[in-house]
């Protein structure tokens, strides 16, 4: 059954990689309850994993005493997720394209690119420590 | 101490070493560290390996796994070995395609196709 009532949640989570399941679990369950496609769920799962690990590693510098704030809103048409870390922020425009030149052979640097590839809207605050991501529900006719 | 969960299974077929990833999801740092240790223990002592990675069980992975594959491929080529990937499900293949890693790795439909590429018909 599709839930017509938008779900809005805020949580503050420990800045450790394994805590990403505390975000993915409830968000993916809500997407299923709202009849999002498997492709949409895969995209949102990937974006949450990448954004959360970026926040833990690059934002909070693997400091387990720091926190990550998550806000999400899910309604019948879209899912919107914001993540804020305690770090000093970064300039997303300065992140090199991982597909170009020698970057293609580097072990890292693909997280942000994947988020931007799989989500419909990706924005950062001016400080560079909050990312806001939106995925619109795939129409039934677009599902494979 | 709890026993380590196996992350790979290894099979030797003809002149190939087939490494099958046993986990459905490969995400956490611990998973990736365990995988790296297991795979490196196969690659490091050997030369001229034909290594085939079978992703048939894997339904989800993150960019950290792509990084692991790049690190492994560098070690493989240092040891004059070959690396082939196969059995990648369409959603994960899309990640390889988007990141252009389809240009970096030799990717085959399945294990048989990868083995066949090693033994072309004369």
């Amino acid at each position: 059954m599709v839930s017509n009532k938008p779900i809005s949640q805020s949580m503050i989570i420990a800045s450790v990689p394994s805590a990403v399941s505390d975000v993915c679990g409830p968000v993916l369950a809500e997407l299923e309850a709202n009849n999002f496609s498997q492709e949409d769920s895969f995209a949102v799962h990937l974006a949450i994993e990448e954004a959360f690990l970026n926040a833990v590693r690059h934002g909070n510098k693997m400091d387990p005493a720091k926190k990550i704030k998550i806000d999400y809103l899910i309604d019948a048409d879209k899912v919107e997720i914001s993540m804020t870390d305690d770090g000093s922020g970064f300039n997303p425009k300065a992140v090199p394209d991982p597909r170009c030149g020698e970057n293609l052979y580097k072990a890292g640097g693909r997280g942000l690119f994947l988020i931007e590839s799989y989500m419909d809207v990706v924005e950062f605050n001016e400080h560079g420590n909050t990312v806001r991501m939106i995925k619109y529900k795939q129409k039934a006719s677009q599902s494979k | 101490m709890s026993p380590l969960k196996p992350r790979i299974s290894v099979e030797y077929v003809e002149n190939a070493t087939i490494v099958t990833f046993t986990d459905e999801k490969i995400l956490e740092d611990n998973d990736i560290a365990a995988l790296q240790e297991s795979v490196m223990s196969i690659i490091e002592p050997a030369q001229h390996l034909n290594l085939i990675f079978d992703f048939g069980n894997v339904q989800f992975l993150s960019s950290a796994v792509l990084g692991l594959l790049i690190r492994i491929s560098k070690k493989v080529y240092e040891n004059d070995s070959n690396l082939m990937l196969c059995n990648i499900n369409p959603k994960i293949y899309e990640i390889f395609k988007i990141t252009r890693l389809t240009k970096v790795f030799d990717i085959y439909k399945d294990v048989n196709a990868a083995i066949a590429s090693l033994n072309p018909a004369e």
Side-chain angles (χ1 to χ4, degrees), chain A residues 17-18 20-21 28 38-39 41-43 45-47 49-50 53 57 62 97-100 104-108 110-111 113-114 117-118 144, chain B residues 25 27-29 32 59-64 66-68 70-71 73-74 89-104:
Chain A
S18 59
V20 69
S21 57
L28 296 179
Q38 287 187 357
E39 285 76 13
S41 290
F42 183 92
H45 189 180
L46 187 63
E49 289 279 347
E50 299 295 344
L53 290 180
R57 288 191 184 125
M62 297 299 285
D97 188 333
R99 302 168 300 173
C100 294
L104 189 58
Y105 300 93
K106 287 183 179 168
R110 295 181 180 84
F113 178 77
L114 286 176
S117 300
Y118 277 85
K144 287 172 188 170
Chain B
K25 294 180 183 178
L27 293 168
E28 290 188 22
D29 287 359
I32 289 163
Q59 301 298 312
F60 192 88
L61 51 73
S62 65
S63 68
L66 304 179
L68 171 67
I70 293 278
R71 287 195 295 277
S73 70
K74 286 179 179 169
N89 91 23
K91 288 197 195 84
I92 294 178
Y93 184 78
E94 189 66 20
I95 295 178
F96 280 85
K97 215 167 128 186
I98 286 172
T99 54
R100 293 193 191 150
L101 288 176
T102 46
K103 293 178 188 296
V104 174

Side-chain angles (χ1 to χ4, degrees), chain A residues 18-19 25 28-29 34 41 49 68 75 78 80 85 94 96 107-108 116 122 127 130-131 136 139 141:
Chain A
S18 59
L28 296 179
N34 280 279
S41 290
E49 289 279 347
I68 296 168
D75 61 27
K78 68 176 186 305
E80 180 176 340
D85 61 54
E116 288 174 335
V122 180
H127 191 53
T130 297
V131 60
Y136 294 103
K139 302 291 179 227
S141 59

Side-chain angles (χ1 to χ4, degrees), chain B residues 60-117:
Chain B
F60 192 88
L61 51 73
S62 65
S63 68
V65 178
L66 304 179
L68 171 67
L69 292 173
I70 293 278
R71 287 195 295 277
I72 287 171
S73 70
K74 286 179 179 169
K75 179 56 75 178
V76 163
Y77 300 131
E78 273 173 28
N79 286 10
D80 287 328
S81 297
N82 294 310
L83 176 63
M84 287 156 278
L85 315 183
C86 70
N87 259 337
I88 299 177
N89 91 23
K91 288 197 195 84
I92 294 178
Y93 184 78
E94 189 66 20
I95 295 178
F96 280 85
K97 215 167 128 186
I98 286 172
T99 54
R100 293 193 191 150
L101 288 176
T102 46
K103 293 178 188 296
V104 174
F105 295 108
D106 291 328
I107 300 178
Y108 293 88
K109 184 170 175 269
D110 53 29
V111 170
N112 288 339
I115 291 175
S117 77

Side-chain angles (χ1 to χ4, degrees), chain A residues 7-13 23 68-73 82:
Chain A
I7 305 287
S8 175
Q9 293 283 341
S10 290
M11 51 175 94
I12 293 175
I13 295 184
V23 191
I68 296 168
K69 183 172 184 291
I70 318 279
D71 298 286
Y72 65 83
L73 171 83
S82 293

Side-chain angles (χ1 to χ4, degrees), chain B residues 10-30:
Chain B
V10 184
E11 192 184 354
Y12 300 92
V13 176
E14 298 180 25
N15 52 348
T17 303
I18 302 166
V19 174
T20 303
F21 296 102
T22 54
D23 290 340
E24 194 175 304
K25 294 180 183 178
I26 312 172
L27 293 168
E28 290 188 22
D29 287 359
N30 290 345

